[in-house]
Amino acid sequence: MAMTMTGEVQLPASREVVWAKLNDPAVLKSCIPGCEELNVAGETQFEAVAKMKVGPVSARFKGKVNLSDLDPPNGYRISGEGEGGVAGFAKGGATVALSEKDGGTLLSYNVEAQIGGKLAQLGQRLINGAAKKLADEFFANFGKAVQG
């Protein structure tokens, strides 16, 4: 099942500060809902373990995340894939763009993802709702991290 999601978040910090936080594994780990581990695996690679619950399906996903098209402090592309055992798999990517706005930074994102397995059987509405909730949670946490 394929899904897409776009959004914008206004953050009260300069692009340089937001860029630094977007590239800090400790900040990302604390902001990603359910993230248990986020380890640097290379200059632009991370390995992650996150526990997720979508409707009746709970799973621990293990995966890899890659950063590409780096354009500091304007944005990058983040892509990854994870396996959740019988729950299924998820893979996809997002383009993240930073621009100056109202004395702070506007972060825009465009996500494309594919899921399979039990997760895909839950239905588009439930999946989209869960994805939006996770994104909202991440950006609420990230907004707090940016404020320090």
Side-chain angles (χ1 to χ4, degrees):
M1 172 189 311
M3 57 182 261
T4 59
M5 189 170 47
T6 59
E8 293 181 338
V9 181
Q10 178 69 29
L11 299 164
S14 70
R15 276 189 311 170
E16 290 73 16
V17 168
V18 174
W19 176 261
K21 301 271 187 197
L22 274 176
N23 287 279
D24 182 333
V27 170
L28 292 175
K29 181 182 181 210
S30 71
C31 294
I32 298 169
C35 188
E36 296 175 348
E37 289 178 41
L38 185 67
N39 302 308
V40 177
E43 204 173 304
T44 58
Q45 293 182 318
F46 302 99
E47 290 178 348
V49 177
K51 193 171 184 180
M52 304 274 170
K53 182 168 172 45
V54 180
V57 178
S58 279
R60 176 176 270 113
F61 283 88
K62 291 182 179 179
K64 292 181 180 0
V65 177
N66 254 331
L67 304 180
S68 58
D69 301 336
L70 281 89
D71 179 18
N74 302 310
Y76 59 43
R77 176 153 182 78
I78 183 168
S79 53
E81 52 188 85
E83 284 290 329
V86 292
F89 71 88
K91 66 180 177 179
T95 305
V96 178
L98 305 177
S99 56
E100 290 177 18
K101 183 177 179 195
D102 298 334
T105 300
L106 182 68
L107 183 153
S108 307
Y109 61 93
N110 187 350
V111 178
E112 304 138 23
Q114 295 241 321
I115 57 167
K118 273 190 179 176
L119 282 174
Q121 297 168 4
L122 293 175
Q124 190 82 29
R125 224 151 144 207
L126 183 60
I127 294 295
N128 285 345
K132 181 169 181 358
K133 182 177 177 261
L134 286 171
D136 290 347
E137 221 174 295
F138 171 83
F139 286 111
N141 293 343
F142 188 71
K144 289 177 196 152
V146 164
Q147 287 177 20

